[in-house]
Amino acid sequence: MSEMMTGAEMVVRALQDQGVEHIFGYPGGAVLPIYDALFHQDTIEHVLVRHEQGAVHAAEGYARSSGKVGVVLVTSGPGATNAVTGLTDALMDSVPLVCITGQVPTHLIGSDAFQECDTVGITRHCTKHNYLVKDIADLPRILHEAFYVAANGRPGPVVIDLPKDIQFKSGLYARPRDNQHKTYRPKVKGDMDKIRQAIELMAAAKKPVFYTGGGIINAGPHASELLRELVRLTGFPVTSTLMGLGAYPASDEQFLGMLGMHGTYEANLAMHGCDLLINIGARFDDRITGRLDAFSPHSRKIHVDIDPSSINKNVKVDLGIIGDCGHVLEDMVRLWRSMSPTVDKDALKSWWGQIGEWRARKCLAFRNSDSVIKPQFAIQRLYEASKRTGRDTFVTTEVGQHQMWAAQYFGFDAPNRWMTSGGLGTMGYGLPAAIGTQLAHRDGLVIDIAGEASILMNIQEMSTAVQYRLPVKIFILNNEYMGMVRQWQELLHGGRYSQSYSESLPDFVKLAEAYGAVGMRCDDPAKLDGAIEEMLAVDRPVIFDCLVDKAENCFPMIPSGKAHNEMLLNDYLGETGTDIGSVIDEKGKMLV
């Protein structure tokens, strides 16, 4: 049934009809009609951020941890341009968002009016789709269509640019019976003939490996359950991208750990030496593949992805299956059971034997210290302490060494518990993402693992955490450097540390207190456990300044442009002492 209302009221009604409970935003002149409409309702909670970039990252954390579409509301001009970094981040990492931006009145568009910018033009390449609403009659359709486009197929951000005069105008609103886009119909069911071919290739493989990505998590919890079933049925090893962590339990014996630039020795060498690579929901990005002409050179490759443009985009594959990971995995499990393929058990046993030798190198081992906190040790202790709380734990990160150490040493056994900036690598992501995650999971334990440089990018969002009583824990690995920059300068630029030292850092304890939060500091390995326990027990936002070894590097590491068998390793691998800079050949032997 149609109802007469203003454009601003249509926005609020459409959000209610879509089941939206939280939106993240910052008011300004071009969206004040919408803010006035929000004032007259009590079903949607608006969360006032301190910067529009923070609004988008908070909506990302909310969306990725809950599986819902995140919603952002910002004003025109600088409000929209401040959101661009977050929109690009969401596009790269396939996060479903609807971002409503205010715009100057339609008759002023193109006149360089106050706080005008070409939002549609600016966001065309950092969104999945965008709209400029010029007619009130189109607004109900566009509002609902935007949610469909954001959430279906490969998820991503959608912008609705809404001129102020359209917000004031009145028109008829009715919830569309079908909110699908008239031309956008993503294919979710995979081709059954190709899935049968995939099963046959899997049955014939002697050295197979599953390469899994964030697409499995985007497909919902059922997809992760199906992946676990398929891995158990086949007996194959499985590895994961940074974005896919949690889709398969990190604690399971068949999991090789993360692969790629800072992936494990065993995962990278398995990718290099396999004869069948089964990519499900990943996009063959450069941080995974390394040097393309040397990437998994002896394997046949299967690629399952809902985005047709991802197939053969970076790596040519032998079999591409377009479809939703959940649907394709369901068919794979069903066909594997019904076909009961004969696997070469001796070959698979031999393959696991080789993987066992690589595992025995203990590539994540590190030399601990009694005098200084090692960052790896700090993450290990934080992980163990979080498990003892018995609470559902969610981790966000900033970007840098701390992010990689978190991926290596904090085990994720369930999907939607790990929120990080993968494709864009956005410093400043973690704190606002933690805020969005905590809003979605009020009873959950939410920890932002941060670096002292990265956390300052959006530190103003501590005000948001305090205002909304969100007890997020900011765990800073403080080495007084832009750690990953320093590491690259040490290893690849002759130790010339150009502008990577974090000078004039704030006192993080006092900074936390200035915001009305709790500040803590620890620099003694013997006192770390007790300090972490104290942090986790506090029911308020906390900034924990963990002073760690300034010179520690993150290994293993594949230098940019190198292959999986050209890893740089730590100087401490179990009982075998190897030098930093040692290189591994394709059989796992040291090249000195």
Side-chain angles (χ1 to χ4, degrees):
M1 183 176 180
S2 297
E3 186 178 346
M4 186 67 69
M5 60 181 71
T6 67
E9 291 168 338
M10 288 181 185
V11 170
V12 174
R13 180 66 65 84
L15 296 180
Q16 291 170 333
D17 287 346
Q18 286 289 336
V20 173
E21 297 176 339
H22 298 91
I23 63 173
F24 303 87
Y26 200 95
V31 284
L32 287 185
I34 299 174
Y35 274 88
D36 193 53
L38 284 168
F39 185 84
H40 292 93
Q41 58 83 49
D42 58 7
T43 60
I44 300 172
E45 181 181 10
H46 178 278
V47 179
L48 178 65
V49 297
R50 270 50 178 182
H51 190 282
E52 290 88 354
Q53 181 184 347
V56 185
H57 292 327
E60 286 187 274
Y62 184 89
R64 291 187 53 191
S65 66
S66 68
K68 300 176 182 178
V69 176
V71 182
V72 178
L73 176 60
V74 299
T75 195
S76 63
T81 58
N82 281 346
V84 164
T85 297
L87 292 171
T88 309
D89 190 275
L91 182 69
M92 293 282 281
D93 287 346
S94 305
V95 181
L97 300 180
V98 171
C99 179
I100 301 168
T101 61
Q103 184 55 275
V104 300
T106 52
H107 69 277
L108 290 178
I109 291 176
S111 71
D112 292 333
F114 177 67
Q115 291 195 331
E116 180 195 358
C117 71
D118 179 10
T119 300
V120 169
I122 290 169
T123 63
R124 181 169 288 121
H125 299 291
C126 64
T127 57
K128 187 176 177 182
H129 193 54
N130 60 15
Y131 303 85
L132 172 60
V133 184
K134 295 182 178 180
D135 189 334
I136 187 69
D138 295 330
L139 184 55
R141 172 186 59 83
I142 288 172
L143 287 164
H144 288 282
E145 194 175 274
F147 278 84
Y148 172 82
V149 173
N152 286 271
R154 180 178 176 177
V158 177
V159 161
I160 302 172
D161 198 30
L162 189 54
K164 192 169 183 178
D165 59 320
I166 302 296
Q167 299 172 42
F168 278 122
K169 283 185 179 179
S170 293
L172 289 174
Y173 173 86
R175 182 173 183 176
R177 293 182 180 179
D178 181 5
N179 64 352
Q180 295 185 12
H181 192 278
K182 60 184 177 182
T183 60
Y184 181 58
R185 297 287 194 276
K187 182 182 179 183
V188 296
K189 292 287 289 182
D191 184 289
M192 286 305 299
D193 288 338
K194 290 186 175 182
I195 295 174
R196 287 191 182 89
Q197 291 177 47
I199 296 298
E200 291 168 0
L201 287 171
M202 289 161 62
K206 298 184 184 300
K207 296 188 291 182
V209 64
F210 283 109
Y211 156 33
T212 60
I216 296 174
I217 293 174
N218 288 340
H222 185 53
S224 295
E225 294 170 4
L226 289 165
L227 171 66
R228 298 167 193 217
E229 186 174 358
L230 183 60
V231 170
R232 285 194 295 268
L233 285 170
T234 59
F236 295 174
V238 55
T239 181
S240 170
T241 67
L242 179 75
M243 300 303 296
L245 293 175
Y248 193 84
S251 59
D252 190 89
E253 277 297 309
Q254 286 176 251
F255 187 61
L256 306 184
M258 182 178 70
L259 80 157
M261 180 169 282
H262 291 286
T264 65
Y265 181 71
E266 53 267 32
N268 283 333
L269 288 184
M271 288 289 284
H272 189 79
C274 68
D275 67 353
L276 181 67
L277 183 160
I278 310 144
N279 177 341
I280 305 178
R283 57 187 178 88
F284 288 112
D285 72 282
D286 65 296
R287 295 288 156 147
I288 294 300
T289 61
R291 201 173 87 236
L292 280 173
D293 63 356
F295 172 67
S296 195
H298 312 298
S299 70
R300 303 191 72 178
K301 299 173 181 67
I302 300 169
H303 189 186
V304 178
D305 204 293
I306 198 165
D307 183 0
S309 71
S310 290
I311 306 293
N312 293 317
K313 181 178 182 178
N314 296 325
V315 172
K316 183 174 174 55
V317 298
D318 299 278
L319 182 62
I321 302 173
I322 299 169
D324 176 84
C325 292
H327 287 282
V328 174
L329 282 166
E330 185 174 23
D331 288 333
M332 282 183 163
V333 168
R334 181 174 52 80
L335 283 180
W336 187 275
R337 289 187 180 279
S338 64
M339 294 169 66
S340 299
T342 302
V343 177
D344 188 335
K345 294 183 178 179
D346 290 337
L348 190 59
K349 182 178 180 181
S350 176
W351 178 228
W352 273 111
Q354 174 64 81
I355 290 171
E357 292 181 16
W358 293 331
R359 273 181 166 167
R361 302 300 296 272
K362 298 180 180 178
C363 69
L364 296 181
F366 60 94
R367 184 174 287 111
N368 209 359
S369 170
D370 292 331
S371 58
V372 64
I373 298 174
K374 292 290 185 175
Q376 306 96 317
F377 177 72
I379 300 297
Q380 284 182 339
R381 303 317 299 159
L382 179 64
Y383 171 57
E384 293 299 330
S386 70
K387 288 195 296 184
R388 289 193 294 271
T389 68
R391 298 169 65 189
D392 206 359
T393 301
F394 302 82
V395 173
T396 70
T397 76
E398 310 295 332
V399 169
Q401 285 178 316
H402 60 274
Q403 176 190 29
M404 295 299 107
W405 281 316
Q408 291 173 336
Y409 295 96
F410 205 107
F412 297 95
D413 284 346
N416 305 106
R417 303 315 193 269
W418 165 248
M419 278 62 65
T420 195
S421 175
L424 194 61
T426 308
M427 294 174 72
Y429 170 90
L431 173 52
I435 287 169
T437 301
Q438 190 77 78
L439 275 160
H441 305 276
R442 285 281 188 174
D443 296 328
L445 171 60
V446 180
I447 305 168
D448 173 28
I449 296 175
E452 84 291 332
S454 221
I455 191 64
L456 293 176
M457 289 283 190
N458 274 316
I459 192 65
Q460 76 283 342
E461 299 308 328
M462 281 303 298
S463 289
T464 306
V466 171
Q467 178 179 341
Y468 293 91
R469 297 177 174 83
L470 301 171
V472 295
K473 309 297 185 285
I474 316 304
F475 191 79
I476 300 174
L477 297 182
N478 186 348
N479 59 12
E480 297 183 2
Y481 277 96
M482 299 174 203
M484 194 61 80
V485 174
R486 184 204 57 76
Q487 176 169 333
W488 280 52
Q489 288 173 335
E490 176 186 329
L491 300 178
L492 307 174
H493 295 276
R496 295 179 292 278
Y497 302 119
S498 177
Q499 303 300 312
S500 56
Y501 180 61
S502 298
E503 295 189 65
S504 300
L505 286 171
D507 181 324
F508 285 108
V509 173
K510 291 181 179 178
L511 184 62
E513 293 169 351
Y515 277 112
V518 175
M520 300 176 62
R521 180 179 292 114
C522 184
D523 62 0
D524 184 348
K527 297 179 181 178
L528 183 61
D529 280 349
I532 289 175
E533 295 284 356
E534 183 182 349
M535 175 189 74
L536 298 183
V538 175
D539 191 28
R540 291 169 60 194
V542 178
I543 295 179
F544 187 107
D545 190 15
C546 185
L547 305 181
V548 299
D549 190 337
K550 296 178 177 59
E552 193 74 8
N553 287 327
C554 184
F555 290 109
M557 174 184 173
I558 302 175
S560 181
K562 299 294 184 179
H564 282 167
N565 62 322
E566 297 176 294
M567 282 177 282
L568 300 180
L569 298 176
N570 203 338
D571 62 350
Y572 180 73
L573 292 175
E575 297 178 355
T576 62
T578 62
D579 295 328
I580 289 179
S582 296
V583 180
I584 307 302
D585 72 7
E586 64 183 21
K587 295 181 180 178
K589 303 297 184 183
M590 285 288 178
L591 298 178
V592 180

